[in-house]
Amino acid sequence: MPDTAELEARLAALQAEVGPLATLGEKDLEAAEVRLLGRKQGALTEILKQLPGLPPEGKRAIGAEANRVKQALEAAVAARREALVAEARAAEARAQDRTMPGRDRWTGAVHPTTAVMEEIVGIFNGLGFARATGPEVETEWFNFRALNFPADHPAMDMHDTLYLDLPERRRGDDRRANRSSGVGDHERRGVPDRRVRPEGRYLMRTHTSPVQVRVLLHNPPPVRVVIPGWVYRKDTFDASHAPVFAQIEGLAVDEGISFVDLKATLAHFARAFFGSKTAVRFRPSFFPFTEPSAEMDVSCGVCGGSGCPACKGSGWMEILGAGMVHPHVLANCGVDPERYTGFAFGMGPQRIAMNRHGIHDIRLFYEGDMRFLGQFAGGVTP
Ligand code: PHE
């Protein structure tokens, strides 16, 4: 015989479950509904199954109470279900709210150094100069000696050049290197055999000029190349110096090339890059690998030549070094200096970019600060 008091206690426990239903998520709510109100084995059904065995008085009391608890549970489940549907709808509406302000979409952009380098290379491509590149790890032979630096040149000093802590390149190493660098072509053309000379210490190239040598060793004239790249010097990192900086080198070697070709080519470049009204001037200079050598100035793009802080009042900005390729360099590369002449030039695209944009600190190019870089990104795409 069922116990009326026990059934009353079970009903009270079920009544206590009404409140917490209002906090359940969809899955928990479904499980609770089955557990409490399930037709076959729900807690309430189990209680109702006992009713027939109760005395008439208990039957009435428990029956009425069970009904009340059942309605309370059903109402709570229904209310919670409705609330969950409303919440889901609201979330969806929020996700689709077309009155919300749009989020900026960020796109990648070309770094100002790269942009200026590509622009410069493009101008020379238009003049028939092909792009060439070379390794950043070089040997003393390519970086200095083949370029006619005397053995005691101060640039070779440990203070300026970063030497690598590797064994020197020896004769046997040269043989292997020669096979891959196409030097064999020149041996066939009666070029001095570089294998009998050790290449010296390994170093980080201090300029892009060793690529002149590599190009001439690989390719018989006529040669016209433009060489963008990164170079290394043991400089302190300050507003105007960086230990790693960009250079663009140029080289033209053919029969009958003269200083007139050098001037015309570089003047054309200056006007293409800085604007058609740009004036250029050449000043005598010195490099071991060019003779004669010159530096080229362009009229200041900021003041047009009248003098301003950007050009330190002079009206001119120095942008490159250049000259006629030294006959020793041609000979070192297996090119007959009696037959061929050439010109070469080298410039620092970061300094050119600084002049163009009025940037006063080269370190900005290295810091990755979005406030700086964003100004060259051409705005944000909506
Ligand atoms: N290599 C020289 C430098 O780094 C620049 C240069 C290149 C000068 C070619 C003349 C010819 O300063």
Side-chain angles (χ1 to χ4, degrees), residues 147 149 206-210 212 231 233 245 247-250 286-287 289-290 293-294 320-324 343-347:
L147 289 166
F149 280 73
T206 58
H207 51 175
T208 42
S209 301
Q212 288 188 33
V231 304
R233 286 188 200 168
F245 60 97
Q247 277 196 343
I248 295 179
E249 188 92 7
F286 176 81
F287 301 101
F289 39 93
T290 48
S293 303
L320 56 79
M324 300 306 292
F343 68 80
F345 59 86
M347 64 181 99

Side-chain angles (χ1 to χ4, degrees), residues 75 118 134-135 163 185 225-226 246 249 258 268 274 291 314 322 334 340-341 380 382:
E118 287 306 311
Y163 288 93
D185 301 348
V225 284
V226 59
E249 188 92 7
S258 75
H268 169 86
F274 293 103
E291 182 59 32
S314 74
Y340 294 106
T341 51
V380 174

Side-chain angles (χ1 to χ4, degrees), residues 116 120 245-248 319-321 346-354:
V116 164
I120 294 170
F245 60 97
Q247 277 196 343
I248 295 179
I319 63 155
L320 56 79
M347 64 181 99
Q350 291 165 310
R351 277 202 31 212
I352 290 173
M354 287 167 78

